[in-house]
Amino acid sequence: MKYKEILYIKQGNRETIIYTINKVIHISKTIENVFEEWCIDTLSTYKGRLDAIKKKYHLKKQVPIYINNNLMIFPIKNKKDIDNIYINALNILNIDEDINGYTVIKFINNKLLKIEKEHKIIEKYFTKTMSIYQMIKLKLYHQQVQDI
């Protein structure tokens, strides 16, 4: 599975469901275990990433997670909610509001995801996530330039 193809990830009942551009993948692991494996691939831990982002950007709730350059996810609910969804901010084409005031996310492959949460709240999570992503990318770029 390519990280850049991930649209969103759902926390299921004793499983994780990954929605990609072309398919849906079911994994018999908790979402935290999946995130842990992905972070370990880049020599970090999920807890380490959470703690670092919380501390560096002064966040307490709705903490986005930088997995790698192709996957920057943000939760739409409390991380302990069984029906939580993590959205890959990098694959969002736009965020709109339906007639009931809920959010409709359109992804780069034109798939839609309706979220029963106010548009303004999801837009705020997305904006915060992309801002943090840009700061991380800039920091990584400066580190590479210094290493030359």
Side-chain angles (χ1 to χ4, degrees), residues 99-111:
I99 58 172
N100 298 315
Y102 294 122
T103 305
V104 178
I105 297 175
K106 184 176 186 178
F107 293 99
I108 58 172
N109 64 344
N110 291 319
K111 285 187 181 176

Side-chain angles (χ1 to χ4, degrees), residues 19 22 27 29-30 35 38-39 44 47 53 59 70 75 91-92 97 105 113 126 130 132-133 141:
Y19 294 80
N22 298 314
I27 299 175
K29 296 179 182 178
T30 66
F35 292 164
W38 291 347
C39 289
S44 180
K47 183 182 181 325
I53 290 174
L59 300 173
N70 296 309
N91 285 338
I92 292 176
E97 186 175 12
I105 297 175
L113 174 65
F126 171 71
M130 290 307 294
I132 291 170
Y133 178 75
Y141 171 78

Side-chain angles (χ1 to χ4, degrees), residues 114-138:
K114 183 177 177 181
I115 300 171
E116 293 187 5
K117 198 160 196 165
E118 287 183 45
H119 171 261
K120 289 179 184 178
I121 293 171
I122 298 299
E123 188 72 44
K124 180 180 170 186
Y125 297 164
F126 171 71
T127 302
K128 173 177 64 176
T129 300
M130 290 307 294
S131 174
I132 291 170
Y133 178 75
Q134 293 301 325
M135 287 186 268
I136 291 170
K137 292 277 290 185
L138 186 61

